[in-house]
Amino acid sequence: MTSSQQPPPRNILALDTAHSLVAACLLTGSDVYHAGAGAEKPRSISLASTLTSLLEKAGLQWHDLDAFAFGCGPGSFTGLRIGAATLAGLNSGLNRPMLHISSLAITAAQADTSDAITVIEDARAGEAFIACHQAGKALRPDRCLPWQEVAAMPSAAYASHTEPAIDLPAWQRLPLQLSRDQALARTVGHAAGQITDWQALPRYPQPAYLQPSQAERNAHV
Amino acid sequence: MIRLFREEGSSLFVLAIESSCDETAVAIYQGELINGRGRIVAERVASQIATHAPFGGVVPEIASREHLAALPPMVDALLGEADLAWQGLDAIAVTAGPGLMGALLVGVSYAKAAGMAHGIPVIPVHHMEGHLLAPGITGDLPAFPFITLLVSGGHTMLVRVDGIGQYHVIGQTLDDAAGECFDKSARLLGLAYPGGPEISRLAAFGDAARFDLPRPMLNKDNLNFSFSGLKTAVMYTVRNAGNLTKDMRCDLAASIEIAVVDVLVKKSLCACHQENVTHLVVAGGVAANRHLRRQLEGEAAGREITVHLPDLRYCTDNAAMIAYAAFQYCWSDIHGPVDWDANPRWRLVDINKS
């Protein structure tokens, strides 16, 4: 396999917009730069300046990037699409590998613990996005569950951006120790280390919605 | 800033992206700086009609997802077809509004990022402006001023065009759009979505004189439209008919079509008369209606009004019209807004203020 003999990418630009904040980072092999933007401006506006500031800090041009990493969700549908469309636009003409990172894995990394942790993020429509992680590894695939099923899960330590929609009495909520852009850098660094064949990665970012639209849901009732 | 070299033979290449509703469309236009004319180098449209048909209308979330999946590979394929690299493009035009917010954001986010990565200016284009100027894509725009009847599933308006970027809405619908009236009437008749083409298809076999449907606002002394009353009349006609036979369906479709077309034609000619304008452009999805095209041309001929109909493929949503509008801005040296974002409610009158 010639493709697996390619050197691993040096410069990786990563972006996560699954929540109301923009989290971005740039890994250059020797350095890690990160940047975040708050909710004062719409994501679609703050993104450009956030990403260009990262490149400026690292002294790089767009064509110096060797790969992209996309916080692919699950999360805000619109947020995911703004992130994905932006990365697709940046990658137009560059055609670099697109590493897909679970946005729930980033939340798990924010809790900064080596113990097993469940991530519970509100998915609206009476549902929650659920992930289980330990030491940077997903213990099972991300899921979308009704809150009743979450309540029936064995209690554990969990991390979340919002108050859960139901009472989780025996559960222990861990604080988010790391900023999202710091956690993004850590998650991307970890995931990048696991990739053996970068050329096999997709070129176009694809959100993991894990939830159909309301119209599709109604049609199936 | 766009490079402008007004020498003979120099041209601008504009890549355009349109994702405001249920068609993902991309196009490349090559415009000549010497005369403001040009040609479409390559274009693609991916329609989502089949995806939305089971829901009886466009589902915004599904539309947004489809745009995102379709757009990036479409742009790559388009550049390949045109044998152009990003470095060969002078501007990226993108529909910034009006339309579905989630759908617009896909095109706008992609365009802004691509423009940033390749150092190419991005020009936000008003979707309606694209339709207004559509006759210029393959031919010449009529001399200013002209009147455009813009008639689609989401809009019905009469616009006076005094120049590029100079638009005055002189009449519009007070409720449903004409295309919406077709869609809703089609649903009452048990026809598939989208309703306009279906109504037209049946109408060809029907007797338009069988049902006497209202011509709303025809006797009002203004240029506004109203189609919700017509839709209600169709509802009562269907209800009173009980079981609709195939003949009745065709007759009713013909009656609906002629009622809508009558109003559109009379108001458009009235607008030309009132504004003392001799050129009439018809644009938007309903402009594909053959009955409308025929009747307009017939009635305008006797009044020394010239009707300009865009190619059928440029009546519905497309990116060629967005590229052409952006090129007209470049060529006329008009600069759009610097700080802008997708704007689902961008009004035509605010075109230079967004």
Side-chain angles (χ1 to χ4, degrees), chain A residues 72-74 100-105 108 117-121 128-134 136-145 149-150 153 208-210:
Chain A
C72 65
H100 286 59
I101 301 283
S102 159
S103 296
L104 301 180
I117 183 167
T118 303
V119 177
I120 306 177
E121 298 282 24
F129 296 124
I130 304 292
C132 301
H133 282 263
Q134 184 160 24
K137 246 186 91 177
L139 301 178
R140 55 180 305 172
D142 295 347
R143 290 173 294 165
C144 180
L145 296 177
E149 288 185 37
V150 178
M153 286 169 58
Y209 298 107
L210 296 194

Side-chain angles (χ1 to χ4, degrees), chain A residues 44 77 81 86 92 204 211, chain B residues 61 64-65 76 86 113 118 341:
Chain A
S44 52
F77 295 163
R81 273 191 294 271
T86 299
S92 64
Y204 301 116
Q211 238 182 356
Chain B
E61 175 59 24
S64 307
R65 291 184 185 190
D76 288 348
W86 285 91
H118 302 290
D341 198 9

Side-chain angles (χ1 to χ4, degrees), chain B residues 189 199-213 215 237 245-259 291:
Chain B
L189 289 177
I199 296 242
S200 262
R201 194 175 56 80
L202 288 199
F205 307 104
D207 171 13
R210 174 153 175 194
F211 297 98
D212 187 20
L213 295 172
R215 268 67 166 160
T237 308
T245 63
K246 194 179 168 213
D247 278 355
M248 284 167 83
R249 245 183 256 272
C250 291
D251 294 346
L252 191 47
S255 306
I256 294 164
E257 187 177 53
I258 203 171
H291 192 98

Side-chain angles (χ1 to χ4, degrees), chain A residues 44-45 48 52 62 77-78 81 84-86 88-90 92-93 204 207 209 211 213 215-216 219, chain B residues 55 59 61-62 64-65 68 72-73 76 86 102 105-106 109-110 112-114 116-118 340-341:
Chain A
S44 52
I45 296 282
T52 41
W62 294 105
F77 295 163
T78 300
R81 273 191 294 271
T86 299
L90 293 177
S92 64
Y204 301 116
Y209 298 107
Q211 238 182 356
S213 69
E216 289 166 289
Chain B
F55 303 99
V59 180
E61 175 59 24
I62 296 176
S64 307
R65 291 184 185 190
L68 178 62
D76 288 348
W86 285 91
L105 274 173
V106 172
S109 303
Y110 178 91
K112 283 187 171 183
M116 188 162 71
H118 302 290
W340 58 276
D341 198 9

Side-chain angles (χ1 to χ4, degrees), chain B residues 242-327:
Chain B
N243 273 342
L244 279 180
T245 63
K246 194 179 168 213
D247 278 355
M248 284 167 83
R249 245 183 256 272
C250 291
D251 294 346
L252 191 47
S255 306
I256 294 164
E257 187 177 53
I258 203 171
V260 173
V261 166
D262 260 357
V263 177
L264 294 176
V265 169
K266 298 239 157 49
K267 290 266 180 184
S268 301
L269 297 176
C270 183
C272 291
H273 178 72
Q274 184 184 305
E275 299 287 319
N276 200 17
V277 165
T278 56
H279 293 277
L280 175 67
V281 169
V282 189
V286 179
N289 184 290
R290 284 170 204 286
H291 192 98
L292 173 66
R293 294 168 89 95
R294 236 184 357 250
Q295 190 165 333
L296 258 181
E297 281 178 325
E299 292 201 24
R303 297 167 208 231
E304 293 181 355
I305 291 171
T306 314
V307 179
H308 304 260
L309 297 159
D311 267 23
L312 276 176
R313 67 192 158 134
Y314 297 136
C315 288
T316 49
D317 289 354
N318 64 86
M321 66 182 194
I322 302 303
Y324 177 74
F327 173 69

Side-chain angles (χ1 to χ4, degrees), chain A residues 6-14 26-30 55 60-69 90-91 94-99 198-199 201-203:
Chain A
Q6 298 253 350
R10 206 177 128 81
N11 302 320
I12 307 174
L13 181 72
L26 178 55
L27 283 65
T28 65
S30 53
L55 247 70
L60 295 178
Q61 306 287 320
W62 294 105
H63 59 78
D64 294 325
L65 297 174
D66 302 304
F68 291 94
L90 293 177
N91 201 22
L94 289 178
N95 202 28
R96 305 287 195 251
M98 186 75 58
L99 179 61
W198 282 86
Q199 297 311 313
L201 293 183
R203 260 51 182 174

